[in-house]
Amino acid sequence: MSQPIDKQRRAFLATASGAAAATAVAPGVFLHAVAEAAPRDSAVSDSVRYGMLIDTSKCAEGCTDCVSACDRENGLDMLLKPEGASDQHWDMQRPRWIRQVKLKNNLTGRVTALPMMCQHCEHPPCVDVCPTGASFRRADGIVMVDRHTCIGCRYCMMACPYNARSFIHESVRLKPTATPRGKGCVESCNFCVHRLDNGGTTTACQDACQHGAIVFGDLRDPNSAVSKALAQYPSEQIRADLKLNTGVRYTDI
Amino acid sequence: MKGKFGISVLLALCLVMFVGPGSALADEDDEVAAAGVEGTARADKLDACVAPTAFMRRNHFELIEHQRDITVHEGIRKTDNSLAGCIDCHVRHDAAGQYVPVNAQGEFCSACHEYVGASLDCFTCHATKPTGTE
Amino acid sequence: MSKIHYREWGIESPRYWGLLAVLAAIVALGGFATLYMEHEGHWVTGMTNQVVWGTPHVFAIFLIVAASGALNVASIGSVFGQKMYKPLARLSGLMAITLLVGGLIVLVLDLGQPARLIVAMTTYNFKSIFAWNIYLYVGFLAIVAVYLFTMMERKANRYSHGVGVLAFVWRLILTTGTGSIFGFIVARQGYDAAIMAPMFIIMSFAYGMALYLLVLMFTFNTDERPLGDMVVRRLKNLLGVFVAAIFYFTLVYHLTNLYGTENHAYEAFILRDGGVYTWVFWLGWVLLGMVVPMGILFHPALGAQRGAITIAALLVVLGGLSAIYVIVIGGQAFPMSMFPGYTVIESGYYDGVDGMARAYSPSLPEFLLGLGGIALALLATFVAVRLLQFLPTSLADEVVDPHLAK
């Protein structure tokens, strides 16, 4: 009975040292972030709005690099299937911050793939409905959950048009310092907020994408890569009809 | 009225249904830990906390709760008052040199709380010892 | 007209305690189910990240909706001055409270963090219709309690009309609020309809009346108190009219949906291809919940039999649970249309590949929690009528209104 847990714990420690190794393996961005590591000492302001442009034409079918990078970065891979749960049920209950969706255009039959995640709306329905204000939009445009005031009612999940939120259905046994989480709260993609607050400038999914399909940055800064790309290519919002002004945009769906 | 007793029993039952789950939520860190060894925490080799000791004793939770709010809502991470920091400095080792969870019985974040009967839910989510991923 | 007297419910002790014991056992089962779910977490339920509200919400919403409807009888008496309904008002107010409490407890016990309820009461997001509902519920409880007091305390009787009007207006707002919880969800196709709020109001009339009739007939029958045929006839006719009104709204809801092309897929899902939801819709909501009860209630012979009326009321309750099941769970099972004009052919997270519905199967603990809520509401009702003077000693036609008894 204690055997599998021990094994998990060893795996846990292995991941911990794995993070250190990654610093050496991926010198570019990671070291860059570390070198500049200056934890934020004043409140974020709305002079920044974080956002993303996803070039759908570059997103490779069947590639899950962004998904596994997100899982690793945010500790989602540390969650264990509860003993007795079926694989199928666990798959529907485990949290997912990012996923790949493959689409076929009904008229033309053209097939595209794209990553879906929290779209970081300017007018997020999840924030409007949250009874306690736990679901909130930070000044810099990141939509996230304060898990200290979340009561687990899941109304935000009902309201999200993007199926972007997850509920923690089980007790969390392995608790890395960097990614606290526990049973009974809702969570979703937060643009790797801990990286940004510690001086980083990229998200894990962006770093992991070998095809360069994800550009992340400050939408308010006309010189940022994401602003330039947005100025250059036609882009669209998913469910633009809802007028949520999403922070994540797509080209070439 | 002879029904009084029965009714109290019933009301008590309803109360259990209502309140029970709340109390069941109390800390469920079921790790069985070896006792920490005196003097093995980093704090033991220092002589000051992040604020004067008398202040810490009485107000440490306000400090962390403030920290919690500014970290989550304003993104402020540069500080000595992070919960991760408290644990990093106050966690002890056992005889074998392994970290002992700060909330294990008799350990730093639990000894006083047990004494005053305060219960926290922080450690259902937060790490109870440094994990090295930070 | 003779004066109305009220007396505590007087059924013999063994029966009374037997009844309470059965209800308490169901409540206790619900309690254990809750402890289990809270301890393990929601993974032991059928709820997932796609179908996030499950069976407990069906029961909770049903009870909350029925609670405001249970107040109708009292409102007809005091707001619209219908004399016959006055002696019926106390039980009506009581059930409004007990049903609401039962529903709210179920809702609260299903939270991921029920211990943080205090957070919900101290930090509000005023934009959230959910937070508004918390005010609406608490206010409703308080107003109905005062209303009951003005009815039961002679010195306060003269305020009864005013408080009754307030309670009536409040319950309309409350049910609109409950309906709006869904109306505000733009993301999901089945909910985004203006007709949702009025439909919830009319549903509340019917479900509240059905439960009221059941409790009234049960308590009077077991206590051998006279309950006039005219009184029952009026109430069951009202129930019939309310059910007919739901029928009308259901029709309009689906017809307007069929009119707009963007809702065709949703309609096809509920009405034809939705598997279990289609069954629950046609069999539960429409046939057993509306058609059969209307047939009984308006039938010249059946509609006069107490047994048949009881069955009709029970069917309305069943139909109500079915309707809310279809709305709440069917509405989530139907995949959100995230990419209009495209078909999802693969997804890492259940985005309705090829329009496939999201899976949900209710689990036993969820069901027990919901059932526990109903049992708790009934338990509280029966304890209250035993301890205090809620029930009139007689509702014989000539006692209630001499004009009725020809």
Side-chain angles (χ1 to χ4, degrees), chain C residues 62-255:
Chain C
F62 174 80
L63 282 168
I64 291 168
V65 163
S68 55
L71 193 65
N72 266 341
V73 175
S75 301
I76 299 172
S78 65
V79 180
F80 302 109
Q82 294 278 331
K83 203 146 126 220
M84 188 207 102
Y85 293 90
K86 289 218 169 111
L88 300 168
R90 290 186 184 183
L91 179 63
S92 157
L94 173 67
M95 285 185 65
I97 292 184
T98 54
L99 292 173
L100 183 59
V101 168
L104 288 181
I105 285 186
V106 173
L107 206 58
V108 164
L109 290 182
D110 180 74
L111 292 179
Q113 301 270 357
R116 284 188 184 167
L117 194 58
I118 198 80
V119 174
M121 299 198 182
T122 50
T123 52
Y124 273 115
N125 168 18
F126 283 98
K127 267 184 105 174
S128 169
I129 187 81
F130 224 43
W132 278 99
N133 271 292
I134 298 176
Y135 276 122
L136 292 176
Y137 297 146
V138 174
F140 183 76
L141 289 177
I143 291 173
V144 176
V146 172
Y147 184 33
L148 277 176
F149 176 78
T150 63
M151 288 193 276
M152 297 174 79
E153 171 58 53
R154 190 158 311 136
K155 286 193 212 106
N157 273 173
R158 60 208 167 93
Y159 301 112
S160 183
H161 177 71
V163 182
V165 172
L166 180 63
F168 178 70
V169 173
W170 197 275
R171 56 91 51 209
L172 288 182
I173 303 175
L174 181 131
T175 323
T176 313
T178 310
S180 305
I181 287 184
F182 295 97
F184 269 65
I185 298 177
V186 292
R188 310 212 181 222
Q189 217 146 28
Y191 300 154
D192 188 16
I195 201 171
M196 222 52 164
M199 189 155 87
F200 265 79
I201 290 188
I202 208 67
M203 284 176 160
S204 84
F205 282 10
Y207 307 153
M209 180 59 86
L211 286 171
Y212 180 85
L213 244 179
L214 287 170
V215 170
L216 184 76
M217 292 199 295
F218 176 72
T219 47
F220 271 61
N221 188 27
T222 47
D223 205 9
E224 283 159 17
R225 298 188 194 206
L227 178 57
D229 279 339
M230 286 306 293
V231 174
V232 173
R233 206 176 112 191
R234 284 238 175 146
L235 292 177
K236 71 98 188 166
N237 279 345
L238 264 181
L239 178 60
V241 170
F242 293 156
V243 174
I246 305 184
F247 192 85
Y248 171 76
F249 270 90
T250 309
L251 205 67
V252 172
Y253 173 64
H254 289 289
L255 284 181

Side-chain angles (χ1 to χ4, degrees), chain A residues 93-94 99 106 129 155, chain C residues 47 128 181 343 345 349 351:
Chain A
Q93 289 183 330
R94 65 179 306 172
R99 62 187 186 273
N106 290 345
V129 300
Y155 195 15
Chain C
M47 292 177 259
S128 169
I181 287 184
T343 305
I345 47 180
Y349 210 45
D351 290 298

Side-chain angles (χ1 to χ4, degrees), chain B residues 94-105:
Chain B
D94 63 12
Q98 298 290 321
Y99 285 126
V100 182
V102 282
N103 67 334
Q105 204 186 11

Side-chain angles (χ1 to χ4, degrees), chain A residues 40 44 146 171 175 177 182, chain B residues 28 73-74 77-78 123 131:
Chain A
R40 198 192 299 284
V44 289
D146 181 348
S171 297
K175 291 173 287 192
T177 302
Chain B
E28 45 191 63
H73 290 264
E74 300 174 4
R77 306 243 173 190
K78 185 186 174 68
F123 298 117
T131 61

Side-chain angles (χ1 to χ4, degrees), chain A residues 57-80:
Chain A
S57 63
K58 292 184 183 159
C59 182
E61 259 177 57
C63 165
T64 53
D65 288 350
C66 58
V67 180
S68 28
C70 174
D71 282 359
R72 210 175 320 114
E73 179 74 26
N74 296 297
L76 298 172
D77 58 346
M78 301 300 282
L79 293 166
L80 309 176

Side-chain angles (χ1 to χ4, degrees), chain C residues 320-331:
Chain C
L321 287 166
S322 308
I324 298 189
Y325 195 89
V326 172
I327 294 174
V328 173
I329 297 179

